[in-house]
Amino acid sequence: MSTDGVVIVGGGLAAQRCAEALRRGGYEAPVRIVCGERHRPYDRPPLSKDLLFEDDVAVPAFRPEAWYEDKAVELILGVRARALDPRARRVALADGRELHYSELVIATGARARELPLFSGYANVSTLRAVEDSRLIRTLLAGRRRVVVIGAGFIGQEVAAAARAAGAAVVVVELETLPLVGLLGPELGQWFADLHRSHGVELLLEQHVREVHGTGTVEALTLGDGRRLACDHVLVAVGISPDLDWLASSGLPASGVPADALGRTALPGVYAAGDVAASFDPVLERHVLSGHWESASREGLQVANTILGREPGPPYPASFWSDQYGLRIQYLGHAQLADALAVDGDPRANDFIATYTRDGRLVAALIVGRPRAVGEIRERLIQTQERTPA
Ligand SMILES: Cc1cc2nc3c(=O)[nH]c(=O)nc-3n(C[C@H](O)[C@H](O)[C@H](O)COP(=O)(O)OP(=O)(O)OC[C@H]3O[C@@H](n4cnc5c(N)ncnc54)[C@H](O)[C@@H]3O)c2cc1C
């Protein structure tokens, strides 16, 4: 084994899980994590949940500093990787350093997408890093008028937090209903009702036509001519894999394709987390996931591959969201369904929506019943195993 060891570029969840599993599995060569952020690897879901509510705005780090010393995991923080030379097995950093590797793990995550219409305005933000979360929390403390662009999960969670803080919230969404492409119209309607019942003004099939103000946004004009006054705009229109630094590596710019073991097309190079387009055995294609559980599992899987271990069983895609004190969980692929059934009472925010295809479970949305997740996950795994590839 070469002594260059593993270089992990990106210092989020996938990187952390990979480093932990390498050391747990007895990997003895150097492990280095390079991260553009100045913080130790930290968890992002609290940024749009607990951190927006709590007084303690500490960075939700996965591990204390001493852990990295104990485990001999070197953190190179506050510096981005600039380029990859896969033939020389070398990563160039923005500060001029070059790191040689035996194995490279690409774990640079994703960036929040921005909208050119809003560039240069001071009171417009996205939410990806802890600093973004702190800014939004400060703004909410002033009970301001907040406009959220995009009714995906991040937009919805911030809208819920802003309402709880007493802010006036307008959500502007291009689609006919929130999450309609993912969950279909019935559940899209449930999300719309949930937010409206908490006082959010949800404007559907709308886009921002014009921005008013110099330096700061004072108002927006929507596609239908309506004018919205605002103190802050949160742009929550999805994410893009963070892979500019791979431009000359030969890897595609739309997400790094990785097989079930986390291997990319380049020898000794693996990818995990939001930057990876991992092979989904159910959809039978590479997909960008953008969710916590897959980033965690993929980080672990890459470590197991490097350690020469057998892969674990494929797990169904899943994510969760917390809004208005409700736990919302989703598993599987609703887009494969030909039927939907609801058990429970959506009006009481207590139900399980099951999506089936030919009578077979393909996805579920679970609201207010967190303990049901284990059983649904098992059912999905069993269905996946019985389905011929
Ligand atoms: C506000 C928020 C709330 C979320 N809530 C949920 C939720 O409720 N449920 C759920 O399932 N998922 C949620 N997610 C998604 C989940 O957090 C992500 O899927 C997960 O963080 C992905 O981990 P990662 O390691 O792939 O990437 P990241 O956590 O994004 O880490 C990548 C790191 O790499 C760094 N980096 C990027 N480029 C370079 C470079 N060139 N050189 C060096 N470093 C670089 C980045 O700065 C970053 O620190 C949420 C995400 C956000 C932002």
Side-chain angles (χ1 to χ4, degrees), residues 10 13-14 36-37 44 48-49 81 108-109 128 274 291-292 319-320:
L13 173 62
E37 290 190 78
R44 290 182 204 278
S48 54
K49 304 176 183 68
T108 41
R128 184 75 196 172
D274 287 3
H291 300 303
W292 195 97
F319 63 78
W320 80 95

Side-chain angles (χ1 to χ4, degrees), residues 9-16 34-37 42-49 79-82 107-111 127-129 154 157 239 242-243 245 272-275 289-296 318-322:
V9 180
L13 173 62
Q16 179 64 30
V34 180
C35 188
E37 290 190 78
Y42 65 89
D43 210 13
R44 290 182 204 278
L47 306 186
S48 54
K49 304 176 183 68
V79 53
R80 288 177 70 87
R82 188 176 48 76
T108 41
R111 294 170 187 216
L127 176 49
R128 184 75 196 172
I154 302 280
E157 288 185 356
I239 56 174
D242 205 340
L243 36 60
W245 65 287
D274 287 3
V275 76
S289 126
H291 300 303
W292 195 97
E293 276 205 28
S294 40
S296 173
S318 68
F319 63 78
W320 80 95
S321 177
D322 293 330

Side-chain angles (χ1 to χ4, degrees), residues 333-340 355-357 362-363:
H333 296 292
Q335 71 266 40
L336 299 177
D338 57 21
L340 168 69
Y355 295 80
T356 52
R357 183 184 183 87
V362 291

Side-chain angles (χ1 to χ4, degrees), residues 206-207 209 220-228:
Q206 287 290 349
H207 68 280
R209 198 172 69 197
L220 308 172
T221 299
L222 302 187
D224 67 355
R226 188 184 324 215
R227 194 178 161 105
L228 298 177

Side-chain angles (χ1 to χ4, degrees), residues 42-67:
Y42 65 89
D43 210 13
R44 290 182 204 278
L47 306 186
S48 54
K49 304 176 183 68
D50 310 7
L51 242 67
L52 293 180
F53 293 98
E54 285 170 8
D55 289 339
D56 177 12
V57 285
V59 177
F62 291 114
R63 299 283 185 182
E65 212 168 327
W67 183 89

Side-chain angles (χ1 to χ4, degrees), residues 68-191:
Y68 298 90
E69 264 176 44
D70 288 354
K71 304 292 177 195
V73 172
E74 186 186 349
L75 288 178
I76 303 170
L77 299 177
V79 53
R80 288 177 70 87
R82 188 176 48 76
L84 166 63
D85 181 345
R87 296 172 73 136
R89 294 204 175 209
R90 191 174 57 208
V91 176
L93 305 190
D95 64 3
R97 269 183 282 180
E98 292 191 331
L99 303 180
H100 290 265
Y101 60 83
S102 315
E103 265 94 21
L104 173 72
V105 183
I106 299 172
T108 41
R111 294 170 187 216
R113 271 194 214 126
E114 295 182 6
L115 294 175
L117 197 63
F118 289 110
S119 68
Y121 289 101
N123 59 340
V124 176
S125 64
T126 54
L127 176 49
R128 184 75 196 172
V130 71
E131 290 77 11
D132 304 327
S133 182
R134 285 175 175 157
L135 170 73
I136 292 167
R137 188 183 165 282
T138 313
L139 288 160
L140 296 187
R143 298 176 171 224
R144 321 281 291 273
R145 294 165 301 176
V146 180
V147 174
V148 178
I149 311 291
F153 280 108
I154 302 280
Q156 290 190 28
E157 288 185 356
V158 174
R163 283 302 300 139
V169 182
V170 181
V171 176
V172 179
E173 166 60 49
L174 209 51
E175 291 289 345
T176 51
L177 286 164
L179 304 169
V180 66
L182 180 71
L183 300 171
E186 294 89 346
L187 274 302
Q189 188 61 53
W190 178 79
F191 277 100

